[in-house]
Amino acid sequence: LLRSELMLAELLSDRTLAKWQESFQQRFIATLTDYLRQFSQAFAPRPVFYRSLDLYGQDATNPVLGDRGTNSYLSDPTLFDLELLALKSLVESGFDNISLILPFVRSVDEFTFCYQRLEAVGLTSYVAFQVWLMAEVPSVILLLPEYIRAGVQGIAIGTNDLTQLLLGVDREQSKFSDRGVNANHPAMQQAIAQMIATAHQHNIECCICGQAPVEHPELIEKLIQWGVDAISVEPDAVPQT
């Protein structure tokens, strides 16, 4: 799982209008293509999932709930389109282990908007290239079958944001977690188990990412019992997990 914000932080640090000039766009595509090629080569034939940009609005009162994720693509799809061109360049050059995960999707309409742009550049015509969804907004729990009908081919449960939004807590305040209002909460366990079951009923994969398996290792056995297809953690946490 590749977090684009970390890969592209330096390139995006210049937030001036000049970034939309053609020279910047070409540099963006070339830089991202190079990064993705390095990861795809190193991990082949194992799958590499690129999560597209989830940029927080700096002027938002609550950045977590602001214009972020795929909703921001509706306002200005420029960067997203550049990401797709980089992915297409990689796929066209023969890499068949790279796929896309869309971040913080709030509605089926947002997903459809993104999927249509994927169709426009021709990425959906490659059988090996998959389009996944970050399941981190609670509405995904209820609407997952609709997302799948719209073209979602897999989901990655993002426990960090899902915990905040499902339980109404600030994950940066440890007092909530200390009182049991965290990713190991019964409501979270039910939500995760339900999404895994729904995904498998519709023959798509479901993995989990975020801090939950690291902070609550007792969850790992349950995740396996529920049938999770993969567990993604930060590199430092791999041996422990």
Side-chain angles (χ1 to χ4, degrees), residues 195-210:
M195 283 193 282
I196 294 173
T198 302
H200 290 169
Q201 286 168 8
H202 292 80
N203 298 313
I204 68 168
E205 290 188 31
C206 175
C207 74
I208 192 163
C209 53

Side-chain angles (χ1 to χ4, degrees), residues 6 11 36 96 103 161 173 178 185 204:
L6 302 181
L11 185 63
L36 293 176
D96 60 2
D161 274 324
Q173 297 188 38
D178 294 342
H185 189 279
I204 68 168

Side-chain angles (χ1 to χ4, degrees), residues 16-160:
T16 67
L17 291 176
K19 75 174 189 176
W20 303 122
Q21 294 177 357
E22 184 176 351
S23 59
F24 171 87
Q25 296 190 15
Q26 295 304 317
R27 183 160 60 96
F28 181 97
I29 295 171
T31 302
L32 180 55
T33 302
D34 179 56
Y35 288 161
L36 293 176
R37 181 179 293 110
Q38 292 181 50
F39 279 103
S40 297
Q41 285 178 336
F43 280 93
R46 290 172 292 174
V48 172
F49 287 92
Y50 173 77
R51 190 178 74 178
S52 55
L53 286 165
D54 183 12
L55 299 176
Y56 289 56
Q58 299 301 313
D59 56 348
T61 304
N62 187 339
V64 172
L65 301 177
D67 187 20
R68 56 172 291 204
T70 53
N71 184 264
S72 67
Y73 304 169
L74 274 65
S75 305
D76 187 346
T78 305
L79 282 177
F80 180 60
D81 287 344
L82 297 179
E83 290 178 283
L84 297 186
L85 290 175
L87 287 166
K88 183 182 180 183
S89 174
L90 205 68
V91 171
E92 284 182 335
S93 62
F95 289 94
D96 60 2
N97 63 327
I98 186 80
S99 291
L100 171 68
I101 298 183
L102 296 170
F104 209 80
V105 183
R106 291 176 166 101
S107 70
V108 178
D109 286 343
E110 285 182 16
F111 174 80
T112 300
F113 174 85
C114 295
Y115 195 82
Q116 289 173 344
R117 302 191 88 80
L118 283 158
E119 288 179 318
V121 299
L123 275 169
T124 55
S125 63
Y126 293 91
V127 176
F129 183 85
Q130 294 193 344
V131 187
W132 283 37
L133 180 80
M134 285 297 300
E136 49 196 346
V137 177
S139 58
V140 175
I141 303 168
L142 304 175
L143 298 178
L144 184 52
E146 291 187 34
Y147 280 108
I148 295 170
R149 284 192 288 271
V152 168
Q153 295 166 286
I155 61 170
I157 301 174
T159 58
N160 294 349

Side-chain angles (χ1 to χ4, degrees), residues 3 51 54 56 61-66 68 104 106 135-139 141 157-174 176-177 180-185 187-189 191-192 209-212 215-216:
R3 290 182 56 185
R51 190 178 74 178
D54 183 12
Y56 289 56
T61 304
N62 187 339
V64 172
L65 301 177
R68 56 172 291 204
F104 209 80
R106 291 176 166 101
E136 49 196 346
V137 177
S139 58
I141 303 168
I157 301 174
T159 58
N160 294 349
D161 274 324
L162 185 61
T163 300
Q164 291 194 105
L165 299 175
L166 191 63
L167 300 178
V169 298
D170 182 349
R171 75 186 191 206
E172 302 300 331
Q173 297 188 38
S174 60
F176 291 110
S177 183
V181 188
N182 52 44
N184 200 28
H185 189 279
M188 279 292 293
Q189 290 191 23
I192 293 169
C209 53
Q211 295 300 311
E215 295 178 352
H216 309 285

